[in-house]
Amino acid sequence: MSEYQKIIPIASQILKDYELCHHCLGRLFSKQLHLSSNKLLGKKLKKNFKSTQKCFICNNLFDNLNYFLKIMIDCASDYSYRTFSVGATLKPSIIDRDDDIRSQYKLMGIDNVKTDITKELGKSFSKKTKKVLDFLDPEINFLINFKNESCQLYSKSITFSGRYVKTLRGITQKQKSCINCTGKGCRTCLFHGISEFDSIEGMISQYIFKKFGGTTTKFTWIGGEDKSSLVLGTGRPFFVKLRNPNKRKSKLTSINLDSLKLKNLKIINEFPKKPITFNSSIEIKISSKSILDSQYLKKLKNICNDPVIVHDKSGKRFEKQIFSLTYKKYSLHDFSLFMKIESGLPIRRFIEGGDVSPNLSELLNCECKCEEFDFHGIEV
Ligand SMILES: [Zn+2]
Ligand SMILES: [Zn+2]
Protein backbone atom coordinates (compact mmCIF):
# COMPACT_ATOMS: atom_id res chain seq x y z
CA MET A 1 0.00 0.00 0.00
CA SER A 2 1.45 3.41 -0.94
CA GLU A 3 1.89 6.17 1.65
CA TYR A 4 -0.87 8.06 -0.07
CA GLN A 5 -3.32 5.18 0.18
CA LYS A 6 -2.45 4.84 3.86
CA ILE A 7 -3.54 8.36 4.67
CA ILE A 8 -6.83 8.32 2.75
CA PRO A 9 -8.87 6.68 5.55
CA ILE A 10 -7.44 9.08 8.20
CA ALA A 11 -8.12 12.11 6.01
CA SER A 12 -11.64 10.90 5.30
CA GLN A 13 -12.29 10.39 9.00
CA ILE A 14 -11.07 13.90 9.82
CA LEU A 15 -13.27 15.36 7.09
CA LYS A 16 -16.27 13.49 8.42
CA ASP A 17 -15.63 15.00 11.86
CA TYR A 18 -14.49 18.49 10.87
CA GLU A 19 -14.66 20.92 8.00
CA LEU A 20 -11.11 21.80 6.90
CA CYS A 21 -9.81 24.00 4.05
CA HIS A 22 -7.39 22.64 1.43
CA HIS A 23 -4.40 24.25 3.15
CA CYS A 24 -5.13 22.90 6.62
CA LEU A 25 -6.03 19.41 5.41
CA GLY A 26 -3.04 19.11 3.10
CA ARG A 27 -0.69 20.37 5.80
CA LEU A 28 -1.59 17.42 8.05
CA PHE A 29 -0.11 14.95 5.53
CA SER A 30 2.24 16.78 3.17
CA LYS A 31 5.40 16.14 5.20
CA GLN A 32 4.71 12.41 5.34
CA LEU A 33 4.26 12.34 1.58
CA HIS A 34 7.16 14.72 0.92
CA LEU A 35 4.93 17.10 -0.99
CA SER A 36 5.51 20.83 -1.07
CA SER A 37 2.02 22.11 -1.81
CA ASN A 38 -0.42 21.67 1.06
CA LYS A 39 -3.14 23.23 -1.03
CA LEU A 40 -2.89 20.77 -3.93
CA LEU A 41 -2.74 17.78 -1.60
CA GLY A 42 -5.72 19.08 0.36
CA LYS A 43 -7.67 19.57 -2.84
CA LYS A 44 -6.95 16.01 -3.91
CA LEU A 45 -7.91 14.51 -0.55
CA LYS A 46 -11.08 16.54 -0.38
CA LYS A 47 -12.35 15.96 -3.89
CA ASN A 48 -15.33 13.81 -2.81
CA PHE A 49 -16.31 16.12 0.05
CA LYS A 50 -18.41 19.24 -0.26
CA SER A 51 -17.60 22.32 1.79
CA THR A 52 -20.55 23.64 3.73
CA GLN A 53 -18.83 25.62 6.47
CA LYS A 54 -15.65 27.55 7.13
CA CYS A 55 -12.46 25.71 8.01
CA PHE A 56 -12.56 24.49 11.61
CA ILE A 57 -8.93 25.43 12.22
CA CYS A 58 -8.23 28.66 10.37
CA ASN A 59 -11.69 30.04 9.62
CA ASN A 60 -10.61 30.32 5.96
CA LEU A 61 -7.74 32.64 6.77
CA PHE A 62 -5.80 31.31 3.78
CA ASP A 63 -8.42 32.74 1.39
CA ASN A 64 -7.60 36.13 2.78
CA LEU A 65 -3.84 36.17 2.34
CA ASN A 66 -3.91 38.61 -0.57
CA TYR A 67 -5.30 41.21 1.78
CA PHE A 68 -2.32 40.75 4.13
CA LEU A 69 0.05 40.71 1.20
CA LYS A 70 -1.18 44.17 0.29
CA ILE A 71 -0.64 45.35 3.87
CA MET A 72 2.95 44.05 3.69
CA ILE A 73 3.63 45.82 0.42
CA ASP A 74 2.30 49.10 1.83
CA CYS A 75 4.30 48.63 4.99
CA ALA A 76 7.57 48.16 3.07
CA SER A 77 7.03 50.94 0.53
CA ASP A 78 9.59 53.24 2.19
CA TYR A 79 12.32 50.61 2.39
CA SER A 80 14.80 49.31 -0.11
CA TYR A 81 16.10 45.83 0.62
CA ARG A 82 16.86 42.49 -0.93
CA THR A 83 15.96 39.84 1.64
CA PHE A 84 13.04 39.48 4.06
CA SER A 85 11.27 37.11 6.41
CA VAL A 86 7.76 36.90 7.84
CA GLY A 87 6.48 36.27 11.33
CA ALA A 88 2.88 36.20 12.50
CA THR A 89 0.66 36.58 15.51
CA LEU A 90 -2.55 34.56 15.25
CA LYS A 91 -5.63 34.45 17.41
CA PRO A 92 -4.94 31.91 20.18
CA SER A 93 -8.17 30.09 19.30
CA ILE A 94 -6.74 29.18 15.87
CA ILE A 95 -3.59 27.75 17.41
CA ASP A 96 -5.65 25.83 19.99
CA ARG A 97 -7.90 24.23 17.37
CA ASP A 98 -4.85 23.30 15.29
CA ASP A 99 -3.27 21.64 18.35
CA ASP A 100 -6.53 19.82 19.13
CA ILE A 101 -6.77 18.26 15.66
CA ARG A 102 -3.15 17.20 15.65
CA SER A 103 -3.36 15.51 19.03
CA GLN A 104 -6.77 13.96 18.40
CA TYR A 105 -5.51 12.20 15.26
CA LYS A 106 -1.98 11.70 16.59
CA LEU A 107 -0.36 13.60 13.72
CA MET A 108 3.29 14.21 14.49
CA GLY A 109 6.10 16.18 12.92
CA ILE A 110 3.96 18.48 10.83
CA ASP A 111 4.02 22.24 10.39
CA ASN A 112 1.65 24.14 12.61
CA VAL A 113 -0.85 26.56 11.15
CA LYS A 114 1.28 29.59 11.95
CA THR A 115 4.32 28.21 10.17
CA ASP A 116 2.18 27.45 7.15
CA ILE A 117 0.63 30.90 7.01
CA THR A 118 4.00 32.66 7.23
CA LYS A 119 5.40 30.29 4.60
CA GLU A 120 2.52 31.03 2.24
CA LEU A 121 2.79 34.77 2.82
CA GLY A 122 6.53 34.63 2.27
CA LYS A 123 6.14 32.72 -0.98
CA SER A 124 3.49 35.07 -2.34
CA PHE A 125 5.39 38.16 -1.29
CA SER A 126 8.56 36.90 -2.91
CA LYS A 127 6.72 36.08 -6.12
CA LYS A 128 5.10 39.48 -6.24
CA THR A 129 8.09 41.64 -5.28
CA LYS A 130 11.05 39.48 -6.44
CA LYS A 131 12.58 39.86 -2.97
CA VAL A 132 14.42 36.90 -1.47
CA LEU A 133 13.02 34.99 1.49
CA ASP A 134 15.71 34.56 4.14
CA PHE A 135 14.63 33.32 7.57
CA LEU A 136 18.15 33.28 9.01
CA ASP A 137 19.42 36.79 8.49
CA PRO A 138 16.86 38.94 6.67
CA GLU A 139 17.32 42.64 6.00
CA ILE A 140 13.63 43.24 6.67
CA ASN A 141 11.37 41.28 8.98
CA PHE A 142 7.60 41.57 8.78
CA LEU A 143 5.48 40.78 11.78
CA ILE A 144 1.87 40.35 10.69
CA ASN A 145 -0.72 40.60 13.39
CA PHE A 146 -3.80 38.69 12.24
CA LYS A 147 -5.72 39.72 15.34
CA ASN A 148 -5.85 43.42 14.48
CA GLU A 149 -4.80 43.15 10.82
CA SER A 150 -1.65 45.21 11.21
CA CYS A 151 1.94 44.85 10.10
CA GLN A 152 5.12 45.83 11.87
CA LEU A 153 8.37 46.05 10.02
CA TYR A 154 11.85 45.60 11.48
CA SER A 155 14.80 46.65 9.40
CA LYS A 156 18.16 45.16 10.36
CA SER A 157 20.60 47.80 11.54
CA ILE A 158 23.66 48.69 9.50
CA THR A 159 27.10 49.49 10.85
CA PHE A 160 29.55 51.99 9.41
CA SER A 161 33.17 52.67 10.08
CA GLY A 162 34.97 55.89 9.25
CA ARG A 163 37.26 58.64 10.48
CA TYR A 164 36.55 62.27 11.19
CA VAL A 165 38.77 65.28 10.87
CA LYS A 166 37.77 68.32 12.93
CA THR A 167 39.15 71.62 11.72
CA LEU A 168 37.22 74.02 13.92
CA ARG A 169 37.46 74.44 17.69
CA GLY A 170 34.35 74.57 19.84
CA ILE A 171 32.52 71.45 18.70
CA THR A 172 31.83 68.70 21.21
CA GLN A 173 32.17 65.05 20.24
CA LYS A 174 28.89 63.87 21.75
CA GLN A 175 25.38 65.14 21.19
CA LYS A 176 22.96 65.81 24.03
CA SER A 177 19.88 63.58 23.95
CA CYS A 178 16.46 64.91 23.05
CA ILE A 179 15.07 66.47 26.27
CA ASN A 180 11.63 65.06 25.61
CA CYS A 181 12.60 61.37 25.47
CA THR A 182 16.17 61.34 26.89
CA GLY A 183 17.37 59.61 23.75
CA LYS A 184 14.86 56.81 23.36
CA GLY A 185 13.23 58.44 20.35
CA CYS A 186 9.91 60.27 20.22
CA ARG A 187 7.76 62.19 17.78
CA THR A 188 9.44 65.51 18.64
CA CYS A 189 12.87 64.22 17.58
CA LEU A 190 11.47 62.12 14.70
CA PHE A 191 12.58 59.04 16.66
CA HIS A 192 16.25 59.98 16.31
CA GLY A 193 16.77 60.41 20.07
CA ILE A 194 18.58 63.68 19.33
CA SER A 195 16.95 66.90 18.21
CA GLU A 196 20.02 69.04 17.53
CA PHE A 197 22.91 68.34 15.24
CA ASP A 198 25.72 70.64 16.38
CA SER A 199 28.27 68.07 17.61
CA ILE A 200 30.45 65.56 15.79
CA GLU A 201 27.91 62.88 16.69
CA GLY A 202 25.02 65.09 15.56
CA MET A 203 26.61 66.05 12.26
CA ILE A 204 27.56 62.49 11.34
CA SER A 205 24.11 61.24 12.38
CA GLN A 206 22.37 63.90 10.33
CA TYR A 207 24.37 62.95 7.27
CA ILE A 208 23.57 59.26 7.77
CA PHE A 209 19.86 59.91 8.38
CA LYS A 210 19.72 61.92 5.18
CA LYS A 211 21.34 59.15 3.14
CA PHE A 212 19.86 56.05 4.77
CA GLY A 213 16.82 57.12 6.77
CA GLY A 214 16.51 55.15 10.01
CA THR A 215 15.78 56.02 13.61
CA THR A 216 18.69 56.23 16.08
CA THR A 217 22.48 56.02 15.78
CA LYS A 218 24.84 54.47 18.30
CA PHE A 219 28.50 55.44 18.25
CA THR A 220 31.71 53.80 19.38
CA TRP A 221 34.56 56.30 19.34
CA ILE A 222 38.22 55.43 19.23
CA GLY A 223 39.10 57.93 21.94
CA GLY A 224 37.84 61.45 22.43
CA GLU A 225 39.00 65.03 22.61
CA ASP A 226 38.05 68.29 24.24
CA LYS A 227 35.51 70.65 22.75
CA SER A 228 38.40 73.01 22.02
CA SER A 229 40.64 70.36 20.39
CA LEU A 230 41.27 69.87 16.72
CA VAL A 231 41.55 66.43 15.15
CA LEU A 232 43.87 66.61 12.16
CA GLY A 233 45.84 64.23 9.97
CA THR A 234 43.92 61.13 8.96
CA GLY A 235 41.35 61.79 11.70
CA ARG A 236 39.80 59.86 14.54
CA PRO A 237 38.25 56.45 13.81
CA PHE A 238 34.67 55.73 14.85
CA PHE A 239 31.98 53.12 14.39
CA VAL A 240 28.29 53.86 14.17
CA LYS A 241 25.26 51.62 14.09
CA LEU A 242 22.11 52.90 12.40
CA ARG A 243 18.87 51.35 13.57
CA ASN A 244 15.94 50.74 11.28
CA PRO A 245 17.51 52.04 8.07
CA ASN A 246 15.25 52.64 5.07
CA LYS A 247 18.07 52.32 2.59
CA ARG A 248 20.97 49.92 2.77
CA LYS A 249 23.16 51.08 -0.05
CA SER A 250 24.60 54.39 -1.05
CA LYS A 251 27.80 55.69 -2.54
CA LEU A 252 30.09 56.68 0.28
CA THR A 253 33.44 58.33 -0.07
CA SER A 254 34.99 61.27 1.70
CA ILE A 255 32.47 63.86 2.77
CA ASN A 256 32.92 67.51 3.62
CA LEU A 257 30.56 68.82 6.27
CA ASP A 258 32.01 72.33 6.74
CA SER A 259 34.18 72.08 9.85
CA LEU A 260 34.01 68.29 9.80
CA LYS A 261 35.40 65.93 7.20
CA LEU A 262 34.39 62.31 7.06
CA LYS A 263 36.92 59.95 5.57
CA ASN A 264 36.65 56.34 4.47
CA LEU A 265 33.03 56.06 5.54
CA LYS A 266 31.94 52.54 4.66
CA ILE A 267 29.47 49.84 5.64
CA ILE A 268 30.97 46.96 7.64
CA ASN A 269 29.54 43.66 8.83
CA GLU A 270 29.47 44.29 12.56
CA PHE A 271 30.56 46.46 15.45
CA PRO A 272 34.03 45.61 16.77
CA LYS A 273 33.58 43.18 19.65
CA LYS A 274 36.75 43.93 21.61
CA PRO A 275 37.93 47.36 22.75
CA ILE A 276 40.41 48.81 20.28
CA THR A 277 43.81 50.01 21.46
CA PHE A 278 45.45 52.92 19.69
CA ASN A 279 48.21 55.51 19.90
CA SER A 280 47.75 59.23 19.48
CA SER A 281 50.11 61.94 18.29
CA ILE A 282 49.22 65.11 20.13
CA GLU A 283 50.30 68.70 20.46
CA ILE A 284 49.66 70.29 23.85
CA LYS A 285 49.85 74.03 24.49
CA ILE A 286 51.04 74.62 28.05
CA SER A 287 51.60 77.66 30.23
CA SER A 288 53.57 77.68 33.47
CA LYS A 289 53.09 79.73 36.61
CA SER A 290 56.80 80.36 37.23
CA ILE A 291 59.57 80.84 34.69
CA LEU A 292 60.42 77.66 32.77
CA ASP A 293 63.77 76.10 33.54
CA SER A 294 65.46 74.85 30.38
CA GLN A 295 67.48 72.35 32.38
CA TYR A 296 64.33 70.50 33.36
CA LEU A 297 62.83 70.84 29.87
CA LYS A 298 65.85 69.18 28.30
CA LYS A 299 65.45 66.16 30.53
CA LEU A 300 61.77 65.68 29.72
CA LYS A 301 62.38 63.12 26.99
CA ASN A 302 63.64 60.66 29.59
CA ILE A 303 60.02 60.08 30.45
CA CYS A 304 59.81 57.72 27.46
CA ASN A 305 62.05 55.20 29.23
CA ASP A 306 59.43 54.14 31.76
CA PRO A 307 55.66 53.89 31.78
CA VAL A 308 53.58 56.58 33.44
CA ILE A 309 51.51 55.34 36.37
CA VAL A 310 47.88 56.45 36.44
CA HIS A 311 45.40 55.89 39.25
CA ASP A 312 41.73 56.30 38.44
CA LYS A 313 39.02 57.52 40.81
CA SER A 314 38.44 54.06 42.26
CA GLY A 315 42.17 53.73 42.96
CA LYS A 316 42.82 51.26 40.12
CA ARG A 317 46.35 51.43 38.74
CA PHE A 318 47.24 51.66 35.03
CA GLU A 319 50.51 51.95 33.18
CA LYS A 320 50.61 54.08 30.05
CA GLN A 321 53.55 54.55 27.72
CA ILE A 322 54.78 57.77 26.17
CA PHE A 323 56.61 56.75 22.99
CA SER A 324 58.16 60.04 21.97
CA LEU A 325 58.38 63.59 23.24
CA THR A 326 59.66 66.88 21.84
CA TYR A 327 58.89 70.48 22.80
CA LYS A 328 58.93 73.99 21.45
CA LYS A 329 59.39 76.96 23.78
CA TYR A 330 57.64 80.20 22.84
CA SER A 331 58.32 82.40 25.86
CA LEU A 332 59.38 82.19 29.48
CA HIS A 333 55.98 80.79 30.39
CA ASP A 334 54.65 79.15 27.23
CA PHE A 335 55.62 76.05 25.31
CA SER A 336 54.15 73.18 23.34
CA LEU A 337 54.71 69.48 23.86
CA PHE A 338 54.55 67.03 20.97
CA MET A 339 54.01 63.49 22.15
CA LYS A 340 53.05 60.12 20.86
CA ILE A 341 51.11 58.40 23.62
CA GLU A 342 49.30 55.20 24.37
CA SER A 343 45.51 55.43 24.46
CA GLY A 344 44.06 56.12 27.88
CA LEU A 345 46.70 58.54 29.20
CA PRO A 346 44.69 61.39 30.76
CA ILE A 347 46.34 64.38 29.09
CA ARG A 348 45.17 67.18 31.35
CA ARG A 349 46.08 65.25 34.49
CA PHE A 350 49.47 64.34 33.06
CA ILE A 351 50.22 68.06 32.59
CA GLU A 352 48.68 69.47 35.74
CA GLY A 353 49.22 66.54 38.08
CA GLY A 354 46.59 64.50 39.90
CA ASP A 355 47.17 60.81 40.46
CA VAL A 356 49.53 60.62 37.47
CA SER A 357 53.15 59.88 38.17
CA PRO A 358 55.43 61.25 36.92
CA ASN A 359 53.56 64.33 35.70
CA LEU A 360 54.76 67.44 33.95
CA SER A 361 54.30 69.91 36.80
CA GLU A 362 56.46 67.65 38.95
CA LEU A 363 59.13 67.10 36.28
CA LEU A 364 59.47 70.83 35.51
CA ASN A 365 59.23 71.74 39.14
CA CYS A 366 56.60 74.38 38.44
CA GLU A 367 52.85 74.52 38.19
CA CYS A 368 51.79 73.86 34.56
CA LYS A 369 48.43 74.43 32.92
CA CYS A 370 47.13 72.60 29.86
CA GLU A 371 45.71 75.38 27.64
CA GLU A 372 44.52 73.17 24.78
CA PHE A 373 45.55 70.07 22.90
CA ASP A 374 45.14 68.90 19.32
CA PHE A 375 45.42 65.50 17.72
CA HIS A 376 47.72 65.16 14.74
CA GLY A 377 47.21 61.47 14.19
CA ILE A 378 45.54 58.38 15.65
CA GLU A 379 46.95 54.93 14.88
CA VAL A 380 44.98 51.79 15.59
ZN1 LIG B 1 -7.86 26.13 7.21
ZN1 LIG C 1 12.83 62.61 21.51
Side-chain angles (χ1 to χ4, degrees):
M1 198 167 31
S2 75
E3 285 289 318
Y4 181 71
Q5 283 167 328
K6 270 192 231 168
I7 64 161
I8 291 177
I10 312 166
S12 303
Q13 186 58 52
I14 295 174
L15 284 173
K16 266 181 212 157
D17 299 340
Y18 298 98
E19 178 74 53
L20 292 185
C21 70
H22 294 152
H23 283 275
C24 287
L25 180 65
R27 174 167 54 86
L28 302 177
F29 304 102
S30 59
K31 281 251 161 102
Q32 196 179 338
L33 300 177
H34 308 290
L35 296 173
S36 60
S37 171
N38 296 340
K39 191 181 174 184
L40 287 180
L41 175 61
K43 209 170 180 179
K44 196 171 161 191
L45 288 169
K46 211 181 160 179
K47 65 174 185 279
N48 298 321
F49 288 81
K50 271 208 182 90
S51 294
T52 50
Q53 291 161 7
K54 284 191 167 179
C55 174
F56 170 74
I57 296 177
C58 75
N59 226 348
N60 290 14
L61 196 52
F62 284 90
D63 291 345
N64 218 0
L65 291 190
N66 269 338
Y67 172 72
F68 290 95
L69 197 62
K70 242 175 120 186
I71 294 181
M72 285 167 73
I73 290 168
D74 277 353
C75 195
S77 60
D78 281 344
Y79 292 82
S80 50
Y81 57 98
R82 201 176 62 81
T83 61
F84 74 99
S85 77
V86 190
T89 311
L90 299 184
K91 281 184 186 149
S93 54
I94 295 183
I95 312 253
D96 290 345
R97 293 194 296 267
D98 184 42
D99 288 345
D100 287 347
I101 294 281
R102 288 190 294 162
S103 70
Q104 190 182 340
Y105 298 95
K106 299 188 172 51
L107 301 161
M108 318 264 258
I110 58 173
D111 282 348
N112 61 34
V113 60
K114 191 162 115 177
T115 307
D116 196 20
I117 282 186
T118 52
K119 262 189 193 168
E120 283 300 315
L121 269 180
K123 264 196 275 179
S124 313
F125 188 81
S126 178
K127 212 166 159 186
K128 188 133 197 161
T129 60
K130 307 280 175 271
K131 304 291 180 187
V132 180
L133 195 56
D134 179 353
F135 278 103
L136 286 180
D137 189 23
E139 291 174 344
I140 293 273
N141 188 19
F142 294 96
L143 185 61
I144 316 292
N145 188 329
F146 285 90
K147 291 194 281 188
N148 60 15
E149 302 188 352
S150 67
C151 167
Q152 265 180 307
L153 188 152
Y154 300 92
S155 165
K156 191 185 155 192
S157 57
I158 38 183
T159 306
F160 303 84
S161 71
R163 280 175 177 256
Y164 70 84
V165 174
K166 176 183 162 190
T167 54
L168 188 74
R169 299 186 196 281
I171 304 168
T172 54
Q173 189 185 43
K174 285 169 192 136
Q175 189 71 48
K176 281 204 185 89
S177 299
C178 162
I179 331 165
N180 198 34
C181 65
T182 62
K184 284 181 210 87
C186 66
R187 259 166 229 289
T188 315
C189 61
L190 304 171
F191 301 98
H192 292 324
I194 52 175
S195 50
E196 284 165 87
F197 303 96
D198 51 8
S199 63
I200 307 281
E201 177 175 354
M203 285 189 258
I204 298 174
S205 297
Q206 193 173 41
Y207 175 77
I208 288 177
F209 293 147
K210 218 184 261 171
K211 280 254 173 185
F212 295 90
T215 49
T216 55
T217 47
K218 182 179 176 259
F219 281 79
T220 294
W221 309 99
I222 305 305
E225 68 276 343
D226 270 15
K227 190 177 173 181
S228 63
S229 302
L230 302 179
V231 182
L232 306 168
T234 52
R236 181 181 300 288
F238 64 91
F239 298 90
V240 54
K241 187 187 263 185
L242 173 67
R243 293 198 189 87
N244 241 332
N246 297 82
K247 276 188 177 181
R248 319 192 67 85
K249 270 185 205 155
S250 182
K251 259 206 179 138
L252 294 168
T253 42
S254 292
I255 302 125
N256 235 325
L257 306 169
D258 291 331
S259 42
L260 187 72
K261 285 188 186 70
L262 297 184
K263 292 182 166 184
N264 276 332
L265 191 65
K266 57 176 185 255
I267 293 173
I268 56 169
N269 283 334
E270 57 180 347
F271 243 47
K273 288 208 172 78
K274 286 182 199 156
I276 292 169
T277 53
F278 57 96
N279 300 325
S280 309
S281 298
I282 49 170
E283 174 184 354
I284 314 167
K285 287 206 173 70
I286 300 160
S287 64
S288 69
K289 208 165 183 185
S290 41
I291 292 175
L292 289 162
D293 188 331
S294 294
Q295 229 180 311
Y296 292 126
L297 271 172
K298 274 176 197 154
K299 280 189 201 153
L300 269 184
K301 59 177 186 301
N302 294 341
I303 201 174
C304 304
N305 298 340
D306 293 303
V308 174
I309 313 296
V310 181
H311 285 96
D312 70 6
K313 272 184 196 144
S314 63
K316 221 171 157 191
R317 181 184 185 275
F318 299 93
E319 289 189 356
K320 295 292 170 193
Q321 191 67 48
I322 295 174
F323 302 104
S324 66
L325 182 147
T326 56
Y327 64 89
K328 202 171 171 186
K329 202 172 154 189
Y330 303 115
S331 72
L332 293 175
H333 292 274
D334 301 287
F335 70 108
S336 278
L337 264 193
F338 301 86
M339 299 198 293
K340 191 173 164 187
I341 59 169
E342 189 181 347
S343 62
L345 178 76
I347 294 162
R348 225 168 258 284
R349 278 164 60 198
F350 169 70
I351 304 302
E352 298 174 5
D355 282 335
V356 176
S357 173
N359 62 64
L360 201 77
S361 294
E362 180 185 300
L363 291 168
L364 295 182
N365 200 20
C366 75
E367 205 175 303
C368 292
K369 189 169 177 253
C370 170
E371 297 292 346
E372 64 186 23
F373 56 94
D374 295 332
F375 287 80
H376 288 281
I378 292 139
E379 289 168 24
V380 289

